[in-house]
Amino acid sequence: MCKTIAIANQKGGICKTTSTFNISVALATMGKQVLMIDFDPQASLTISAGLEPLNLEHTVCDILKKSSESVTNCIYKFNNISNLSIIPSIIDLAALEMGMQTRTAREKILARALDSIKHSYDYIFIDCPPQLSILTVNALAACDYVVIPCKTDYLSYRGLEQLENTISDLKRLVNENVEILGVVATLYEKNVKDHNNILNLLHKKYSVIGVIKKTVEAVKGIYEGIPVVLRNPKADISVEYVKIANEILIRG
C-alpha cells in the first residue's frame, strides 16, 4: 500500500528539499517505487533532479487547475534510477495558488489528483513550500505522514509548535489519518552549544529519526542532478539519510 509523506516546515533553509531528494533516492535504491512531488514554486527539487522547469511540457500546476491534465502526463522519470519519478514544479505555481483559494473543497485538490496513481508507488514524497499556505494544507490533506526537518536553533524549534497546531487542525477537520512520523534535526553543528541544547530538546519532545550535520557535501553535485547519497554514499550525511529511509520503512 502506498504511503504519502509530506516533508514540511514553514521555515526555509532547513534542508526540506535536500531531505526529500536523498530519502527518496535512498528508498528507490532499496527497490521501492518512489514518486517525488515538487510542491514549491521555487522548484528547487525539480532543479536538483536535473530538470529545467521552463523546458517542461507539464508540471504540478497542470494537475491543480480546474481543467486538470492527467497526472501520468506530469510524471518524469529520474535519469539515474528507473523506479524514481518526479512531478516537477515551476514559478507559475505561485500564481495558481492564489486561484486555489476560491475553489470548492480546495484543501483536497492534490489528494483527489493523486488517488488515480497511488497504486503505482510504494512511497510518494511531497516537498512542501516554506510557509503554511494552501499548498502546504493540500500536501498535509493528501498525506499519511509528515516528516519535519528542523534546524537545530531556537527559532526553528519554537516554530514547530505552529506546524503541530496546523497538523492538529487538519487532522480534526480534513484528514483524520495524518500523523507526524518524526523530526529530522538538520544543519547540526556538534561544537555549537546551542545546537546541542536544541537537539536535546527535540529528543525530549519529539521522535527524532535522524540528525543531519551541517556539511558542504549536501550541495555538491547539485548542478548535475545527483544527490549526495549517490554521489558520495560513504559520506556521513549519506549514511544518515539511508538510516532515515530505513526508519521510514519500519515506521511507515
Side-chain angles (χ1 to χ4, degrees), residues 140-141 143-146 167 170-171 175-180:
L140 296 176
C143 72
D144 302 293
Y145 297 106
V146 185
I167 293 170
L170 262 293
K171 187 177 180 68
N175 179 9
E176 64 180 12
N177 297 316
V178 62
E179 301 286 351
I180 297 176

Side-chain angles (χ1 to χ4, degrees), residues 36-55:
M36 304 183 294
I37 300 176
D38 190 347
F39 222 42
D40 187 343
Q42 297 178 77
S44 297
L45 180 61
T46 301
I47 296 166
S48 296
L51 299 175
E52 174 49 58
L54 296 176
N55 294 339

Side-chain angles (χ1 to χ4, degrees), residues 15-29:
C15 295
K16 281 196 303 293
T17 297
T18 300
S19 297
T20 303
F21 197 14
N22 282 281
I23 293 169
S24 296
V25 169
L27 284 167
T29 57

Side-chain angles (χ1 to χ4, degrees), residues 63-124:
I63 68 175
L64 300 175
K65 295 174 181 176
K66 286 185 179 180
S67 54
S68 61
E69 182 70 39
S70 168
V71 180
T72 55
N73 290 340
C74 303
I75 296 173
Y76 296 78
K77 287 287 186 180
F78 181 60
N79 288 334
N80 297 308
I81 302 175
S82 60
N83 54 322
L84 177 65
S85 303
I86 182 171
I87 296 178
S89 185
I90 194 170
I91 189 63
D92 298 15
L93 183 58
L96 181 62
E97 180 182 9
M98 299 297 293
M100 291 171 66
Q101 299 283 353
T102 60
R103 300 267 297 275
T104 303
R106 57 187 178 273
E107 298 90 353
K108 287 281 193 175
I109 296 172
L110 180 63
R112 292 194 297 270
L114 295 182
D115 280 344
S116 64
I117 61 164
K118 281 190 171 183
H119 64 278
S120 299
Y121 299 97
D122 297 304
Y123 291 95
I124 297 174

Side-chain angles (χ1 to χ4, degrees), residues 2-3 67 76 88 115 118 127 158 172 202 242:
C2 177
K3 297 298 182 184
S67 54
Y76 296 78
D115 280 344
K118 281 190 171 183
D127 185 23
R158 286 293 301 269
R172 179 169 51 88
L202 287 171
V242 171

